[in-house]
Amino acid sequence: MAGPRPNRINTTTLKSRILNIAQTSVYQVKLQPPGPVQDFLRTSDPDIDYGRDGLNIELLCSDTNLPGQSLATHDITQDYPGVSEKMAYRKIYDDRIDFTFMVDRDYNVIQFFEGWINYITGQGTTFTNEEYVSRSRYYRMNYPRNYKTDNLYISKFEKDPYGYYLTYQFIGAFPLTISASPISYESSTSLRYTASFSFMRYIKTRKREYELIF
């Protein structure tokens, strides 16, 4: 069976079809912790309030990534002589997603994510933060339903107000790790802070109206 014949494509058609490329720098994130975490943040540090400071923290996200997925497969070798096939049996989501932030001069970004992890581990609910100076203090984790959120979003859009945009909603998300942020006396640059989130799965939607859901 012959393959497809090459087509002649003029320059105008080529530009209209393949030169309208999505840009990496146009996106928005939302990282809203659940109610118990928000209450804890306000109690442990009155200067941190998601309702007041959340948008500023989210706008400082300098880079992240759109999530990936894969399929788990079985190898089938007995159906046809000499042929090995793969059959899918499960969808596998990435196990984490990274968000990198520029740190503001008030260090609200650092307080926000470290406060969220403190709540997860019970630091501030089991004992006060000051009591952890004692080596005998221990950690007692809070319940997952109180620290996991379904309100973590990445919206990828373009500058065209009538084009499509994608929204990724992450289910059961919580901060898993905070990467070390190097500082030095060498030439100064913006302080960056990376938090990695674990999640169960994500849901992607595509809409044409330029109206972000958050």
Side-chain angles (χ1 to χ4, degrees), residues 20-192:
N20 188 22
I21 305 301
Q23 303 299 305
T24 60
S25 60
V26 190
Y27 66 92
Q28 187 175 356
V29 303
K30 181 178 180 65
L31 305 103
Q32 180 177 343
V37 176
Q38 294 188 43
D39 294 340
F40 173 79
L41 291 172
R42 282 192 296 266
T43 302
S44 60
D45 188 344
D47 291 331
I48 296 294
D49 186 331
Y50 176 80
R52 182 188 65 234
D53 305 313
L55 179 59
N56 293 338
I57 293 172
E58 292 159 356
L59 290 175
L60 289 171
C61 181
S62 61
D63 61 88
T64 183
N65 53 276
L66 301 181
Q69 57 182 275
S70 60
L71 292 173
T73 61
H74 283 302
D75 289 330
I76 307 298
T77 59
Q78 303 299 324
D79 284 357
Y80 304 99
V83 175
S84 177
E85 296 181 281
K86 291 185 179 294
M87 301 295 181
Y89 68 91
R90 180 183 298 171
K91 179 187 284 190
I92 301 175
Y93 293 93
D94 289 349
D95 62 352
R96 68 177 62 191
I97 185 168
D98 300 329
F99 296 89
T100 300
F101 296 82
M102 297 177 288
V103 178
D104 58 293
R105 291 190 175 184
D106 294 329
Y107 306 107
N108 286 336
V109 169
I110 295 177
Q111 289 292 98
F112 177 76
F113 289 106
E114 291 201 0
W116 196 337
I117 288 183
N118 284 346
Y119 177 81
I120 293 172
T121 60
Q123 183 174 340
T125 57
T126 307
F127 299 102
T128 65
N129 195 55
E130 291 74 16
E131 288 179 307
Y132 280 96
V133 174
S134 171
R135 298 184 182 182
S136 63
R137 297 306 184 199
Y138 56 88
Y139 295 94
R140 184 170 61 200
M141 302 294 171
N142 278 297
Y143 290 106
R145 67 172 179 266
N146 291 334
Y147 63 74
K148 289 187 175 183
T149 182
D150 295 340
N151 292 319
L152 191 153
Y153 298 88
I154 297 175
S155 182
K156 179 68 190 77
F157 55 97
E158 302 303 318
K159 296 179 180 180
D160 179 7
Y162 303 104
Y164 287 102
Y165 71 91
L166 300 177
T167 297
Y168 296 80
Q169 179 183 7
F170 298 86
I171 307 301
F174 65 96
L176 185 65
T177 62
I178 295 173
S179 300
S181 300
I183 53 178
S184 73
Y185 281 121
E186 296 181 1
S187 57
S188 184
T189 185
S190 299
L191 180 61
R192 305 283 173 152

